[in-house]
DNA sequence: GCAAAAGTGTTTTGTCTACACCCATGA
DNA sequence: TCATGGGTGTAGACAAAACACTTTTGC
């Protein structure tokens, strides 16, 4: 962009920070990194970066997430703007927070070593720099909201999953136990899952049927929406 | 803020734009201004301004809203970030959009002349600069969401209002008619309105009782939340 | 006395919740 | 054969939706 009709206005730094959620089968986790620059060098933080002039804010978030995880096509949504004057002691930085949902196994051990990153259970987070703790706590709330009416949660599970895995995910997000029969009925009635022939045999002798989320079925119904919880 | 550890990073312009909603008794409206600078001079736009280094983003939005309306203590909420590279032909400007709910009569004729501003019905908006049309349409959706579970809508009505005015507001926001008896029952059962002795006699011979929203009653109930629609 | 809006209950329908036993299998 | 998780149905409670007539009063 060559022209700048607004030269005399304050120019400031704009950052993106990514709350990356994962699900290990029983608990919801967030991926944090050891910060590699001052201020806060060596402390735990969200993965973040500055928005460049040549990219959109969303593109910046995607780039930052890809840098850490190597992943593309990740479910990501804007959480909001964190714009207090002194939130970052290193300068006047406004941050746009995003939350992303990834399959925990898509993120390899080697990447964790490479980036000094680590999964943390949401109720055992370490001290975080700046307002990153607040970001995570807002993201948790927004996630609850989201998955109650949108099929976003599936992106935290493997492509093929059992109903009990899905229920475990919802229980982790809502931090409460649910009734197996009611949950099963509700989710199947939506008609957005396809039951496979295949069974998952790791966690029981009998084996549990695997399902996949069918996006096309969801799209037929999404106009009127749904409510899981 | 003296220090800037991030000097080498791109610095850019950050703006705020305010979607200001009002309700005239039967229709939801948005307050727009004729833009007084290039690019887009003379075109209709949302009220906006640049974020200064010395203020938070929220403070900037409050300042901008106050500049146009003279009002303080206005209900305002963040809508989201609009960060495409070429959204503003005048430069690389990222905008944080906010939506505000005001009482339409708090905004005087004289201010409208002073600022070249005007109320527009939401389904008869003029052409708007940049992505402001998209901002309004997202704000409309978010407003629906908000008033279904929070008592935000009251800030669009006079302090004293009739149940039919309140219902009219919800009908305008949801763009659908509702049943008077069901609406009345639901809203009264929440216990967040106080019925006054006083009647409003403008719109009928019989006169309709006036109510006020009781914040303290709402706060007692807000933990478990409520659902109007 | 009539036009115009205010105010008020009941029935039906659908949705949500609580709850317990048999099944299939591998060890 | 038994231990383990998988899979399934029903009854009762509650909430939401549909629906129409009487009241008040200024003209």
């Amino acid at each position: 962009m060559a022209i700048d009709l607004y030269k005399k206005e304050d120019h400031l730094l704009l950052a993106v920070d990514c709350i990356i959620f994962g699900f290990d089968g029983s608990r919801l986790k967030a991926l944090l990194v050891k910060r590699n620059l001052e201020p806060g060098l060596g402390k735990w933080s969200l993965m973040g970066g500055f928005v460049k002039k040549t990219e959109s804010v969303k593109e910046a978030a995607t780039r930052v997430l890809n840098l850490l995880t190597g992943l593309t096509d990740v479910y990501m949504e804007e959480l909001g703007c964190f714009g207090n004057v002194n939130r970052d002691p290193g300068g006047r930085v406004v941050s746009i927070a995003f939350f992303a949902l990834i399959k925990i196994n898509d993120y390899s051990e080697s990447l964790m070593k490479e980036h000094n990153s680590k999964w943390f259970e949401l109720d055992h987070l370490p001290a975080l720099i700046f307002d990153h703790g607040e970001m995570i706590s807002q993201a948790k709330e927004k996630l609850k909201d989201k998955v109650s009416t949108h099929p976003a949660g599936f992106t935290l599970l493997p492509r093929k999953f059992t109903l009990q895995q899905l229920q475990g995910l919802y229980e982790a997000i809502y931090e409460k136990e649910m009734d197996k029969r009611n949950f099963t009925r509700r989710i199947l009635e939506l008609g957005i899952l396809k039951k496979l022939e295949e069974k998952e045999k790791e966690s029981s002798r009998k084996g549990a049927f695997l399902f996949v989320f069918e996006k096309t079925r969801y799209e037929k119904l999404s106009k009127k929406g749904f409510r899981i919880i």
Side-chain angles (χ1 to χ4, degrees), chain A:
Chain A
M1 173 104 41
I3 60 167
D4 188 348
L5 297 177
Y6 313 121
K7 283 194 276 292
K8 63 182 190 308
E9 305 288 343
D10 286 357
H11 288 61
L12 36 81
L13 287 154
L14 190 62
V16 290
D17 286 298
C18 297
I19 298 103
I20 304 170
F21 288 115
F23 178 63
D24 71 356
S26 60
R27 292 180 176 281
L28 207 55
K29 304 199 169 188
L31 187 60
L32 302 177
V33 295
K34 275 219 167 116
R35 188 165 153 104
N36 62 2
L37 77 166
E38 289 291 358
L41 177 70
K43 293 189 180 160
W44 289 106
S45 91
L46 294 168
M47 182 72 184
F50 291 102
V51 178
K52 300 181 197 298
K53 279 202 160 175
T54 53
E55 66 186 353
S56 74
V57 174
K58 179 94 196 205
E59 281 160 5
T62 307
R63 172 175 57 78
V64 161
L65 183 78
N66 176 265
L67 252 167
L68 177 61
T69 65
L71 301 174
T72 52
D73 298 314
V74 171
Y75 181 95
M76 188 154 63
E77 190 167 339
E78 183 182 325
L79 175 63
C81 168
F82 290 73
N84 284 343
V85 174
N86 292 308
R87 55 175 294 282
D88 183 336
R92 172 67 166 117
V93 184
V94 170
S95 174
I96 313 296
F98 287 80
F99 70 95
L101 308 179
I102 74 173
K103 305 183 200 314
I104 206 163
N105 291 325
D106 283 354
Y107 189 69
S108 67
E109 286 280 336
S110 63
L111 279 167
M112 283 175 65
K113 271 177 197 143
E114 190 183 330
H115 291 104
N116 278 308
S117 60
K118 188 162 179 269
W119 288 106
F120 285 87
E121 290 183 11
L122 286 183
D123 37 9
H124 294 92
L125 294 176
L128 287 158
I129 59 162
F130 311 166
D131 44 12
H132 288 197
E134 175 61 18
M135 288 179 182
I136 293 180
S137 115
Q138 285 187 28
K140 236 170 103 178
E141 286 309 306
K142 191 144 185 171
L143 179 60
K144 278 186 196 178
D145 226 65
K146 195 71 195 178
V147 298
S148 74
T149 50
H150 294 86
F154 298 107
T155 61
L156 286 163
L157 294 173
R159 196 178 71 82
K160 300 173 180 182
F161 51 85
T162 67
L163 292 179
Q164 349 311 311
Q165 287 172 322
L166 184 60
Q167 180 176 343
L169 171 63
Y170 274 86
E171 288 179 337
I173 293 174
Y174 283 96
E175 297 169 290
K176 73 169 185 193
E177 299 205 338
M178 298 176 188
D179 181 89
K180 183 168 56 159
R181 283 165 294 188
N182 292 338
F183 182 85
T184 304
R185 180 174 349 102
R186 268 196 306 241
I187 203 85
L188 290 180
E189 271 172 1
L190 291 176
I192 59 178
L193 300 186
K194 188 165 93 186
K195 188 176 188 170
L196 305 177
E197 297 300 311
E198 220 173 323
K199 281 191 167 189
E200 189 279 325
K201 310 271 286 180
E202 301 265 306
S203 60
S204 79
R205 310 197 195 291
K206 186 179 177 180
F209 279 105
L210 288 164
F211 290 78
V212 291
F213 168 59
E214 289 270 283
K215 205 176 175 205
T216 54
R217 294 193 195 172
Y218 166 68
E219 277 156 0
K220 279 176 200 156
L221 135 147
S222 61
K223 267 169 241 157
K224 45 178 187 168
F226 69 83
R227 174 155 290 275
I228 292 179
I229 298 290

